Amino acid sequence: MGSELWIWGVFLGVVLALLAFDLGFLNKKDSEISIRKSLKLSAFYISAGLLFGVWIWSFKGPQAGMDYFTGFLVEKSLSMDNVFIISLIFTSLAIPRALQHRVLFWGILGAIIMRAVMIGLGAALVHQFSWILLVFGAFLIITGIKMLVANDEDPDIENNRMFKFFKRHLRMVPTLQGNHFFVRGETLGRKAGWWATPLFLALVMVEAADLVFAVDSIPAIFAITQDPFIVYTSNIFAILGLRALYFALAAMVHRFHYLKYALAVVLVFIGCKIGLVYMNVKIPSVLSLTVTFGLLLAGVLYSLYKTRGEPLPEN
């Protein structure tokens, strides 16, 4: 498993405590999360992720610590596009802001389980077939190049094949039923049994979007380190804060337009790093972390500079 069981226990305990604190204390009732509260919650989750990285650094050494922070940065940045897709899903299904946190919370629980499975399979493949890392590297380079040359047209969620499939095959009522994912049909004058609501379809689509983005992010982190503990913890701490940051990012995502180009270069850099390793050219972890952080910071600053005249949301 890459680390002693008790270390995994510490990690799971921290994650469960954060989720219980979020659901049981911060959001007992469905309510609209303001941008100000979103930023405060995000700062809290980012701080928790960074503190966990400091603990890894002190306990497992600088190499593991730098790998964790590099993976955390990459996953956090990749999640920016995920925020945009989630926003389109909520808009297409007319999910009010007061109910969006409920969808995102349960979506995170699904993502924790789904990524555990994917990372476990990835770790097994890397352990059994070391050359699979070269496949990951080539995939990252191709993905980065595609991001650089892709057009900026917004994806059409309503014409998405997966969206159409679930909408056609789910036994679903046409309107929201409070905060329920399912309702009994007989209470609505329909056939007996359970019927899905548009809120459940939103959850399914959010999980599907996370699956698609995990296909990019997991190879990227395996390219940084093959320690399953570092791969999984950096992934989970990055997406834990995504839910909190979503409400601010959804309103300001247009201000970070040029970040994707910096991220594309990061993916190409990480992909090339794997090839260099196979040619016995070792790139120090501190250099990888510095390059990754520098590129992403440059993307953020340049984006803010280019969109400096656009108004910021008020709440």
Side-chain angles (χ1 to χ4, degrees), residues 131-201:
W131 52 264
I132 202 74
L133 285 173
L134 288 174
V135 178
F136 286 171
F139 175 77
L140 293 175
I141 292 172
I142 293 171
T143 301
I145 292 172
K146 285 174 65 178
M147 288 177 65
L148 284 171
V149 302
N151 58 45
D152 294 328
E153 292 181 4
D154 296 343
D156 188 352
I157 294 295
E158 292 187 5
N159 288 320
N160 179 273
R161 291 181 181 179
M162 190 178 298
F163 183 87
K164 287 182 174 180
F165 175 84
F166 286 123
K167 202 166 186 179
R168 187 182 306 117
H169 290 88
L170 278 176
R171 193 164 73 158
M172 190 175 72
V173 295
T175 58
L176 290 167
Q177 302 295 317
N179 65 357
H180 299 293
F181 290 118
F182 294 94
V183 291
R184 295 193 68 89
E186 53 266 34
T187 63
L188 300 174
R190 293 175 176 267
K191 291 181 180 179
W194 291 100
W195 289 66
T197 69
L199 201 65
F200 179 72
L201 178 57

Side-chain angles (χ1 to χ4, degrees), residues 27-178:
N27 294 283
K28 290 182 179 179
K29 299 179 180 179
D30 294 320
S31 59
E32 183 173 332
I33 296 181
S34 67
I35 293 174
R36 186 184 300 275
K37 183 178 180 181
S38 173
L39 291 172
K40 288 180 179 179
L41 285 176
S42 181
F44 168 75
Y45 276 108
I46 289 174
S47 298
L50 294 177
L51 286 173
F52 192 82
V54 171
W55 180 75
I56 288 178
W57 189 302
S58 63
F59 184 78
K60 292 176 72 70
Q63 175 76 41
M66 285 184 285
D67 289 343
Y68 171 89
F69 285 121
T70 305
F72 182 83
L73 274 173
V74 171
E75 174 63 29
K76 203 73 173 175
S77 303
L78 280 168
S79 67
M80 289 287 291
D81 279 345
N82 207 358
V83 165
F84 179 61
I85 298 298
I86 291 171
S87 177
L88 290 177
I89 292 169
F90 285 150
T91 300
S92 298
L93 292 170
I95 306 297
R97 285 174 63 90
L99 295 178
Q100 290 175 8
H101 179 272
R102 178 175 174 80
V103 174
L104 292 171
F105 177 85
W106 291 107
I108 289 296
L109 291 183
I112 289 173
I113 297 170
M114 180 170 58
R115 295 202 179 203
V117 173
M118 294 180 68
I119 288 170
L121 291 174
L125 286 173
V126 170
H127 179 73
Q128 194 73 20
F129 310 104
S130 60
W131 52 264
I132 202 74
L133 285 173
L134 288 174
V135 178
F136 286 171
F139 175 77
L140 293 175
I141 292 172
I142 293 171
T143 301
I145 292 172
K146 285 174 65 178
M147 288 177 65
L148 284 171
V149 302
N151 58 45
D152 294 328
E153 292 181 4
D154 296 343
D156 188 352
I157 294 295
E158 292 187 5
N159 288 320
N160 179 273
R161 291 181 181 179
M162 190 178 298
F163 183 87
K164 287 182 174 180
F165 175 84
F166 286 123
K167 202 166 186 179
R168 187 182 306 117
H169 290 88
L170 278 176
R171 193 164 73 158
M172 190 175 72
V173 295
T175 58
L176 290 167
Q177 302 295 317

